[in-house]
Amino acid sequence: MTNAPARPSSDTQPIDAVIVGAGFAGMYMLHKLRGLGFSATVLEAGSGVGGTWYWNRYPGARVDIQSLEYCFGFDEDLEAEWRWSERYAPQPELLRYANHVAERFDLKRDIHFHSRVTAAHWDEASQFWQIETEGGARYRGRHLILATGCLSIPTDVTFPGMETFKGPVYRTSRWPHEGVDFSGMRVAIIGTGSSAIQSIPVIAEQAAHLTVFQRTPNYSMPAHNGPIPQADLEAWAKDPRAYRAASKDTIGGFQNEANTTTLATETAPEEVRAELERRWAWGGFRILGAFADTGIDPAANRIIQEFVAEKIREQVADPAVADLLTPKDHPFGTKRPCVDTGYYATFNRPNVSLVDLRADPIVGFTPAGISTQANDYAFDAVVLATGFDAMTGAIDRIDLRGVGGRRIKDHWAEGPRTYLGLMVAGFPNLFTITGPGSPSVLTNMINSIEQHVEWIADCLVSLNQRQQTSIEASEEAEAAWCRHVAEAVTPTLMPQANSWYMGANVPGKPRMFMPYAGGLNTYTEICRQVAAKDYEGFVIRKGDRVLSESRVFTSHPPMPEIPEKLMPIVVERLTAAGLMPAAQ
Ligand code: N01
């Protein structure tokens, strides 16, 4: 371990770990490493902690996993002293929580704000990362830990003539800190993903008129926000450790009553209906886990699609508007579903209108507003809720070079390749928290973050104890992991949607399903086994001397059992993808 000062100022003092990003991942990583005696510095582009909750301040922003589970569990006192005001905390409360954590653990003294990392090069001679920020400050880190977030870089969607528009254009993910007052204004919003679906009902209450420009409708379930359900509160209060452990021991990292055996197609329609109604009434993502076959079998998925379509029709008075709001181009759950408060009912308001961009595309902005092929609209302000360059965007934007000066962008030219979503072959001592190839965005991010941080910390301790200077994923293990990531998702319907999980929302981005769909519980066990086998799949060195070398990845736990009836579909998809030999 080096004896670097806690806060080197723009110098090249060696630091054990340079962490990029002061969201929940970066904050916990810093706390964890400091507690173990490592020197660590966080470089953060923004002026405060909180990551997602620092940047996304749009009206209506709130978490859509219950706050009881979407919070840190690593410190019992922290957990015990914090009380959430609602079932799904709003953004300001989450940001207060992030600041509370930062202050409670005195984190800010090791965080450099306004420090956007632009370059990081692996120096083979010294076995250190050389890191540079936009402001020209330089750092040397034995380890580089990217806690840069999966949804932190907005897509650079622009429209012809946008610069001529006389009013302000806001991006949901770069919302002004002082807020925006839309009172009396004619407002446009472009996009109907989660950010738009949360903000539309709130903006509609304020604006004189809100026009929603929709290209693709999304499925959205009601949050039924309010007080935390008594049963959950009691279960948590009885034994917070057990409650947390139960959350982590799930596919999604939160308690969702996932049913892995009952098939919707083999259940009496009235029972299916009752189950879907029960879950819809509970709210949020609970409906996702209702049956074992809806994520795989198109016929089962259609049952849930029709159920949600009916719910949309119930909420929206105008049948034509309801029809436009009903997704038809992707199976339920294959794009990230949204969780809303009053979204569909908002379209019953006299001051809200919907423009179908499939029928009438945007031609461009004008000084007065937006022109579509058929109409000219006048606006005072425009909101872009057009999404993110997900999972790879923040990493791609760093001039990141590994062994031999190899650029990460070149290594990932055909899609992100990682081992365990944690490390990359040819990039020693580079760790990604919730990186591509890890469960990340398919799960409760905080539980995934805790698992990653703790695994990385254990790894650094192990290296340090043995005076090893570098760890690097082997190419073979990386290839085997990429194959396993593909095996996990291919049986499902998920690759069928043009989702940001697939990189489909960014022109020119390689199409590849980026997160690991095998579940957080399975993934955690895999990572545990890899470490227990003395870091299987990794090459560990002291200087240029190889101390231990493992090139295989054999830690596949048995995949969750798939109901017999679904096996033909699964085999067919795996065979078509070249992941299973064709039957002779
Ligand atoms: O982004 P999105 P988001 N012209 O990519 C449209 C997380 N999140 O910020 O689908 C017109 O989902 C685009 O249309 P289409 C969550 O994981 C979490 O809303 O490409 N429209 C789409 O409708 C979420 O999934 C929370 O046809 C254009 C929209 O913009 C992820 O962040 C809250 C367009 C983008 O939707 C991203 O959500 C918010 C164009 N040129 C977000 N380009 C919570 O935890 C894009 N669109 C609650």
Side-chain angles (χ1 to χ4, degrees):
M1 221 178 300
T2 55
N3 294 317
R7 194 182 174 109
S9 56
S10 305
D11 61 20
T12 50
Q13 290 277 358
I15 307 166
D16 290 322
V18 173
I19 301 162
V20 187
F24 286 126
M27 287 199 294
Y28 181 35
M29 193 78 247
L30 171 63
H31 172 65
K32 185 81 192 166
L33 290 182
R34 271 196 339 202
L36 291 165
F38 290 99
S39 58
T41 289
V42 178
L43 303 176
E44 163 59 50
S47 64
V49 298
T52 287
W53 306 107
Y54 168 89
W55 296 101
N56 290 271
R57 298 169 188 240
Y58 59 82
R62 62 175 70 246
V63 64
D64 55 12
I65 284 173
Q66 289 205 97
S67 295
L68 264 188
E69 293 175 271
Y70 187 87
C71 56
F72 283 127
F74 67 80
D75 185 287
E76 288 183 34
D77 294 337
L78 167 68
E79 206 173 13
E81 75 201 10
W82 188 266
R83 285 287 172 277
W84 295 105
S85 67
E86 293 174 72
R87 195 175 167 191
Y88 302 99
Q91 175 272 333
E93 189 172 345
L94 284 151
L95 192 56
R96 274 202 304 282
Y97 176 71
N99 277 291
H100 170 71
V101 172
E103 271 143 39
R104 190 183 198 291
F105 299 108
D106 189 20
L107 299 180
K108 289 186 185 174
R109 72 181 153 89
D110 282 325
I111 303 175
H112 294 261
F113 295 106
H114 306 290
S115 296
R116 183 176 291 283
V117 172
T118 50
H121 298 174
W122 173 249
D123 178 40
E124 281 161 65
S126 66
Q127 306 254 298
F128 268 85
W129 281 95
Q130 312 275 15
I131 297 134
E132 193 167 329
T133 68
E134 208 164 49
R138 292 188 178 174
Y139 301 86
R140 282 177 68 209
R142 174 70 78 197
H143 300 275
L144 174 62
I145 303 175
L146 300 181
T148 41
C150 294
L151 296 156
S152 47
I153 300 292
T155 48
D156 47 11
V157 170
T158 53
F159 296 90
M162 210 159 104
E163 67 291 348
T164 66
F165 177 57
K166 294 235 166 66
V169 177
Y170 302 105
R171 279 186 198 274
T172 45
S173 54
R174 294 290 179 269
W175 206 256
H177 288 197
E178 64 280 13
V180 179
D181 182 3
F182 288 119
S183 302
M185 288 191 187
R186 297 159 303 173
V187 181
I189 183 163
I190 302 176
T192 46
S194 290
S195 303
I197 281 176
Q198 287 191 328
S199 53
I200 284 166
V202 184
I203 297 175
E205 278 178 14
Q206 221 180 50
H209 194 94
L210 176 65
T211 306
V212 178
F213 288 88
Q214 171 186 271
R215 194 163 64 181
T216 315
N218 261 303
Y219 292 100
S220 186
M221 290 89 68
H224 299 312
N225 192 26
I228 299 170
Q230 198 53 30
D232 291 80
L233 209 49
E234 280 167 15
W236 172 78
K238 193 170 150 217
D239 188 346
R241 298 297 84 218
Y243 191 80
R244 176 78 43 184
S247 296
K248 288 185 171 176
D249 188 18
T250 56
I251 294 169
F254 63 104
Q255 299 180 40
N256 205 27
E257 293 187 7
N259 184 336
T260 54
T261 50
T262 315
L263 303 182
T265 51
E266 291 195 337
T267 306
E270 59 281 8
E271 279 176 47
V272 172
R273 172 107 213 163
E275 183 61 4
L276 294 179
E277 288 286 5
R278 184 179 76 79
R279 288 175 181 255
W280 187 268
W282 197 88
F285 294 121
R286 190 144 290 194
I287 201 164
L288 277 170
F291 293 97
D293 49 353
T294 53
I296 294 177
D297 180 358
N301 195 281
R302 277 193 293 277
I303 296 173
I304 211 164
Q305 284 176 48
E306 183 41 42
F307 177 83
V308 180
E310 201 182 306
K311 291 293 178 194
I312 296 171
R313 290 194 291 273
E314 275 172 18
Q315 294 171 81
V316 180
D318 181 338
V321 175
D323 188 54
L324 278 180
L325 290 169
T326 303
K328 299 181 186 74
D329 75 328
H330 62 281
F332 177 82
T334 55
K335 282 181 157 188
R336 187 186 185 278
C338 310
V339 175
D340 70 273
T341 297
Y343 174 63
Y344 292 114
T346 297
F347 291 90
N348 299 331
R349 294 176 68 107
N351 71 331
V352 174
S353 47
L354 180 65
V355 176
D356 173 16
L357 295 180
R358 299 272 173 206
D360 186 15
I362 293 175
V363 176
F365 279 48
T366 63
I370 293 174
S371 292
T372 59
Q373 272 177 6
N375 289 296
D376 293 321
Y377 297 89
F379 296 116
D380 301 304
V382 174
V383 176
L384 298 179
T386 42
F388 298 89
D389 183 354
M391 306 211 67
T392 54
I395 301 173
D396 271 353
R397 276 160 183 76
I398 299 172
D399 172 15
L400 193 58
R401 301 188 201 184
V403 174
R406 184 162 171 77
R407 289 165 199 269
I408 195 104
K409 277 189 101 153
D410 295 333
H411 190 68
W412 287 1
E414 287 167 24
R417 303 175 57 72
T418 67
Y419 180 37
L420 304 174
L422 273 163
M423 297 202 81
V424 183
F427 293 79
N429 292 7
L430 170 74
F431 295 88
T432 52
I433 301 185
T434 64
S438 77
S440 60
V441 289
L442 300 177
T443 67
N444 172 356
M445 288 299 275
I446 299 223
N447 279 339
S448 279
I449 284 167
E450 287 197 349
Q451 185 269 339
H452 267 189
V453 165
E454 287 158 16
W455 192 93
I456 294 169
D458 288 347
C459 177
L460 264 54
V461 167
S462 168
L463 291 176
N464 199 53
Q465 278 168 350
R466 294 186 275 180
Q467 298 186 323
Q468 296 156 337
T469 51
S470 80
I471 179 165
E472 180 186 348
S474 74
E475 278 175 26
E476 294 87 341
E478 183 181 85
W481 179 252
C482 290
R483 184 185 166 94
H484 181 59
V485 170
E487 281 165 355
V489 77
T490 300
T492 76
L493 291 163
M494 295 195 92
Q496 294 187 13
N498 289 324
S499 63
W500 56 256
Y501 298 138
M502 295 288 293
N505 66 329
V506 176
K509 192 164 173 169
R511 291 281 174 109
M512 173 178 163
F513 194 86
M514 294 181 281
Y516 173 61
L520 179 62
N521 43 5
T522 302
Y523 174 80
T524 301
E525 176 56 17
I526 293 173
C527 291
R528 193 196 62 73
Q529 286 185 23
V530 164
K533 290 180 197 162
D534 203 14
Y535 294 94
E536 177 180 69
F538 289 99
V539 181
I540 294 172
R541 297 184 174 87
K542 179 167 187 175
D544 53 8
R545 203 154 50 88
V546 173
L547 295 183
S548 92
E549 182 168 1
S550 161
R551 299 201 161 264
V552 294
F553 165 62
T554 62
S555 304
H556 297 72
M559 291 303 279
E561 236 167 76
I562 293 174
E564 196 55 39
K565 190 188 169 206
L566 301 176
M567 281 314 285
I569 306 179
V570 169
V571 169
E572 189 193 318
R573 290 190 187 140
L574 287 172
T575 309
L579 294 165
M580 196 177 219
Q584 298 300 310

